[in-house]
Amino acid sequence: MKAVPIPEWLRNVIVLLVATACVIAAVIAVDQVRHRDVPGSLTSTVRGTGVEVGSPAPSFTATDLDGMPFDFDERGGRPAWLVFNATWCTACRIEAPDIQALHEEFGDEVTIIGVYVDDSTEGVREWGRTLGLTYTQIADADSSIGQAYDVLGLPAHVFVDAQGMVASVSTGVLSPEQMRDKLEEIGVG
């Protein structure tokens, strides 16, 4: 019995399907490794799941760049602005000077926290030093804080009112005017 040759177009389709399946499997595997629970993580512990406007902001504890403990719940009744970013993020770098300027202007009214998703403490320290950032910065090396806040893109901004309720969530670069408007929404300014 003679084998029937497979047309070249069909071979190409089969190769493309197999390659696509391999890429999808690799992406899923990497995602599973990046988002697994890390027992004994020294970076941060998170209590809470997800974030929605009008809901309580997830609590977390972490260590800042100076090695000092930081507890999100211990803000003294002040509103908070969480900025999720990364040292490799160009858009994050663009808006960092505007965030720093607002920290200098309103730092006594709001707690600004830079959370660097999937970044090392040393990398974040160098980034902050280079850009002259003085607000609280946390390296979220295992992405647990970013996961608790359902961060899907960078930069991401979560504005929390003085009662600890999420007032606003934004993904993408904010202009200085938009930042001011969001701060006013949580009683700053």
Side-chain angles (χ1 to χ4, degrees):
M1 182 174 212
K2 186 175 179 182
V4 178
I6 299 174
E8 186 174 339
W9 69 268
L10 185 56
R11 266 191 302 230
N12 290 342
V13 168
I14 292 170
V15 167
L16 183 61
L17 289 173
V18 169
T20 302
C22 289
V23 168
I24 290 171
V27 167
I28 290 171
V30 167
D31 187 61
Q32 291 296 319
V33 168
R34 282 187 67 200
H35 295 110
R36 71 183 185 273
D37 289 332
V38 181
S41 170
L42 298 176
T43 305
S44 61
T45 40
V46 177
R47 304 174 304 277
T49 56
V51 63
E52 292 181 23
V53 172
S55 68
S59 299
F60 65 89
T61 58
T63 303
D64 70 14
L65 298 184
D66 297 323
M68 299 301 296
F70 177 85
D71 187 333
F72 182 72
D73 291 336
E74 308 251 337
R75 297 182 320 280
R78 291 170 30 155
W81 174 11
L82 290 108
V83 182
F84 291 91
N85 50 35
T87 57
W88 51 263
C89 171
T90 304
C92 302
R93 185 180 196 97
I94 289 169
E95 70 178 11
D98 296 326
I99 296 167
Q100 177 61 34
L102 289 169
H103 169 67
E104 291 169 9
E105 186 175 348
F106 299 115
D108 59 339
E109 297 179 49
V110 63
T111 301
I112 301 176
I113 308 131
V115 180
Y116 295 81
V117 179
D118 203 27
D119 261 323
S120 70
T121 300
E122 280 307 312
V124 173
R125 185 176 287 119
E126 182 60 31
W127 159 278
R129 191 176 304 129
T130 300
L131 296 177
L133 306 179
T134 59
Y135 51 87
T136 301
Q137 299 172 74
I138 295 169
D140 186 18
D142 63 0
S143 302
S144 61
I145 301 169
Q147 288 174 30
Y149 279 82
D150 288 339
V151 172
L152 300 177
L154 300 174
H157 303 267
V158 179
F159 294 86
V160 179
D161 67 22
Q163 290 73 42
M165 304 300 282
V166 175
S168 176
V169 178
S170 300
T171 301
V173 175
L174 296 180
S175 70
E177 294 77 24
Q178 290 171 315
M179 292 175 187
R180 283 181 179 280
D181 289 345
K182 298 292 185 183
L183 288 172
E184 283 179 16
E185 288 177 19
I186 58 172
V188 176

